[in-house]
Amino acid sequence: MSPPRRGRAAHSADAAPQCHHKGWLSVVSHSRRHGGTRKERRGGGGEGTLSLLPDDVLGAILASGFLTAVDVVRCAASCRRWRRVVGTRSAYISRGLPPLGGYLSGLAVGVFTAPIARARRRTPQFVPTAAGALLLGDRRISLVDGIQVDGELLEHARPVASRNGRLVLQLRPTGGDLALCVCNPMTGELTMLPPLSGDDKTRRGWFAYGCALLTGDDFDTPRPPYASFRLLLLYNHGASTTVLRCYSSSSGRWGKEVDITGVASISGEKMRQIGPAAVRRGGAAFWPLDDGALGVRLDVERPDAMDVHLLPYTSPHYWPEKRLLGVTAADNRLFFVSFGIWEGCLSGAVSYFDIDGDDIGTGRENSDRDGEVLYPMFDIKMRRRHDQSTLKLRWFCEKSGLVLFTLGEGSGYPGTFALDVRSPAVEKAVNGYSVSWRDVHLESPAMVKVADGHSWSSFVGYEMDMATYLAALAA
């Protein structure tokens, strides 16, 4: 097996090596060159004085912070010159944009799942959303096409987390070590993390841990570089000690273990059921537990400094597969979403947390019923009324506003679904046929079936970062 190409460490001999390829963006560029439409304007970039400005000045205007992401997208669609300016300066422009004022559905590319045992190539499976299929074309695409490394590296790898275009993979274990990598399939970047020693045999192959990925855009001042990230692990050290450990891409090293047993002691069974983490701007990650949300705020300048608190619920929630945490794109507000099956119907509700600024220690779930609805209550008729195990909440795509969940065979409608929280309608749209309940029209885009499969052992939703999204528009 050919190892990934290693680059020189930026800060230390242990800094993580990186590989850079064109990734899936090259697929986008190729498909548009060989079959894309040419309906865009052929003008030179606007009328009047704007046409006289150099490209660098136009890029600085787009990155000034006075324009929103939607404004920049419209500029890129106006003519070839604006599209070139946006595409060649996408990272610079995206860093100057204000936070999204709402959800942008085009950022949702698809879903990564663990390899299928009977598949010829046992690498992580990728299933595109409707937006992802439109972006990448009709051809079947794989993770190997994105990061372009020897396929043996990804054999038996499984996805564990993603955020802002980056995907965290657990690689095939070597001895008792935990091997992780962080990649961006859209751009082809790959970072191999130093392995964590598995000398403590009670960890049993590192099967039980929570993982949160924080990128440079998740921190405030001083803002880290665009390419930087932190990887935060939550696991048990021994039988009774719950710890956190953070990796920083700036130093290329893992920090020390931080004992948080005094805040939250998580049993081995609960750790195996730990859900995906939600990340809030300001450098904070949250995991849903039975009695509250475990919050961890990182210091941008001190990787080992952590502020850890348990944000209590108004009442306990003991069903890990029926709950998710998320953060609203518009106002950076943490919320708790829960689904259930009641009288044969699928129903869901949302409640918000009140947090005073960046002080997560002040966080509490809001008991005000007026603030508990992110989208109207919805229901889908089930064929079997009391099979609660058929429903599993899997992922919340925080930039695109999609709740991803699966329904098993007991529901009568097995598959993987994406619910758009912005729409008041509820639907199920399936290629070839449609099924309606009550007065719900299935042709509405509120809910779509992403895949027929539902029994995934690992499940990670994947969204592009804004810089990649702008580059894809101009590919």
Side-chain angles (χ1 to χ4, degrees):
M1 178 180 70
S2 301
R5 186 158 43 100
R6 294 181 176 266
R8 178 174 295 179
H11 298 279
S12 72
D14 296 327
Q18 292 191 353
C19 304
H20 300 279
H21 304 280
K22 293 183 179 180
W24 287 349
L25 276 179
S26 62
V27 176
V28 177
S29 178
H30 181 272
S31 63
R32 291 182 179 175
R33 285 198 308 267
H34 294 81
T37 178
R38 293 184 177 271
K39 293 183 179 180
E40 74 271 17
R41 289 173 48 196
R42 297 175 179 267
E47 301 294 334
T49 56
L50 284 180
S51 62
L52 303 177
L53 294 177
D55 288 358
D56 288 342
V57 175
L58 291 178
I61 293 173
L62 295 174
S64 63
F66 293 104
L67 300 177
T68 66
V70 175
D71 295 329
V72 174
V73 169
R74 289 171 178 168
C75 291
S78 64
C79 67
R80 288 183 176 180
R81 186 193 177 199
W82 281 96
R83 191 171 67 182
R84 184 186 71 248
V85 170
V86 170
T88 56
R89 295 162 177 81
S90 59
Y92 167 64
I93 293 173
S94 68
R95 293 284 276 181
L97 295 177
L100 287 174
Y103 297 116
L104 189 59
S105 59
L107 294 176
V109 181
V111 171
F112 283 100
T113 68
I116 300 175
R118 63 179 181 274
R120 181 178 60 86
R121 176 183 286 180
R122 296 186 179 181
T123 59
Q125 305 293 303
F126 174 72
V127 181
T129 60
L134 182 64
L135 175 72
L136 300 173
D138 295 332
R139 57 164 289 185
R140 295 185 63 180
I141 198 166
S142 70
L143 183 58
V144 176
D145 297 324
I147 60 177
Q148 300 176 12
V149 296
D150 191 319
E152 292 184 22
L153 177 68
L154 302 179
E155 286 284 333
H156 303 283
R158 69 180 185 93
V160 293
S162 76
R163 181 159 180 83
N164 286 341
R166 292 182 175 88
L167 174 70
V168 183
L169 296 172
Q170 177 180 319
L171 304 178
R172 182 188 300 179
T174 55
D177 294 346
L178 175 66
L180 297 169
C181 73
V182 178
C183 63
N184 187 329
M186 292 297 299
T187 63
E189 299 172 19
L190 172 67
T191 301
M192 298 292 296
L193 274 60
L196 281 174
S197 173
D199 292 339
D200 183 357
K201 302 304 181 183
T202 61
R203 295 178 190 173
R204 295 184 181 178
W206 295 88
F207 288 129
Y209 64 91
C211 181
L213 177 64
L214 293 87
T215 64
D217 289 340
D218 294 320
F219 293 89
D220 296 326
T221 55
R223 202 173 186 184
Y226 167 75
S228 66
F229 65 87
R230 301 276 183 87
L231 193 66
L232 186 62
L233 293 188
L234 170 70
Y235 57 92
N236 286 332
H237 190 157
S240 59
T241 304
T242 300
V243 299
L244 289 164
R245 196 169 188 181
C246 184
Y247 170 85
S248 172
S249 64
S250 298
S251 65
R253 290 177 175 155
W254 289 98
K256 299 178 181 179
E257 290 185 340
V258 177
D259 186 350
I260 64 166
T261 308
V263 178
S265 180
I266 306 174
S267 68
E269 178 184 1
K270 293 297 182 181
M271 189 66 75
R272 286 188 290 272
Q273 299 172 339
I274 198 78
V279 176
R280 186 172 180 260
R281 290 192 306 275
F286 302 86
W287 282 278
L289 303 181
D290 289 351
D291 298 316
L294 176 62
V296 183
R297 186 168 185 265
L298 301 178
D299 190 299
V300 67
E301 296 180 313
R302 296 178 299 163
D304 290 334
M306 301 181 189
D307 187 22
V308 185
H309 298 275
L310 185 67
L311 286 61
Y313 303 142
T314 55
S315 59
H317 192 284
Y318 298 111
W319 302 275
E321 294 179 339
K322 307 294 188 294
R323 66 193 183 199
L324 282 175
L325 290 175
V327 175
T328 58
D331 52 5
N332 196 33
R333 195 174 184 188
L334 179 70
F335 65 85
F336 178 91
V337 58
S338 60
F339 278 20
I341 300 175
W342 180 72
E343 292 189 353
C345 296
L346 178 66
S347 61
V350 171
S351 58
Y352 292 91
F353 285 81
D354 292 327
I355 301 176
D356 186 9
D358 290 334
D359 185 2
I360 64 173
T362 64
R364 297 291 187 277
E365 185 183 16
N366 193 331
S367 60
D368 183 3
R369 300 296 298 180
D370 291 337
E372 290 186 356
V373 178
L374 179 64
Y375 49 88
M377 295 295 291
F378 60 90
D379 58 54
I380 298 177
K381 278 292 185 183
M382 316 293 286
R383 291 179 180 173
R384 298 180 185 177
R385 299 172 63 87
H386 303 294
D387 188 358
Q388 291 286 336
S389 63
T390 188
L391 169 66
K392 295 181 181 180
L393 284 185
R394 297 288 194 161
W395 199 268
F396 178 68
C397 298
E398 297 179 356
K399 298 297 192 298
S400 53
L402 298 180
V403 176
L404 302 175
F405 65 95
T406 56
L407 293 174
E409 298 293 339
S411 69
Y413 306 101
T416 298
F417 295 83
L419 171 70
D420 190 334
V421 299
R422 298 170 300 175
S423 175
V426 178
E427 61 156 25
K428 176 180 177 181
V430 185
N431 292 334
Y433 72 96
S434 62
V435 183
S436 63
W437 299 270
R438 299 183 181 178
D439 56 352
V440 175
H441 299 286
L442 300 182
E443 288 71 23
S444 169
M447 186 186 297
V448 296
K449 188 174 185 180
V450 179
D452 292 328
H454 59 85
S455 58
W456 315 111
S457 59
S458 295
F459 187 105
V460 171
Y462 179 71
E463 296 177 296
M464 287 182 286
D465 62 296
M466 184 55 65
T468 304
Y469 180 68
L470 295 178
L473 292 176

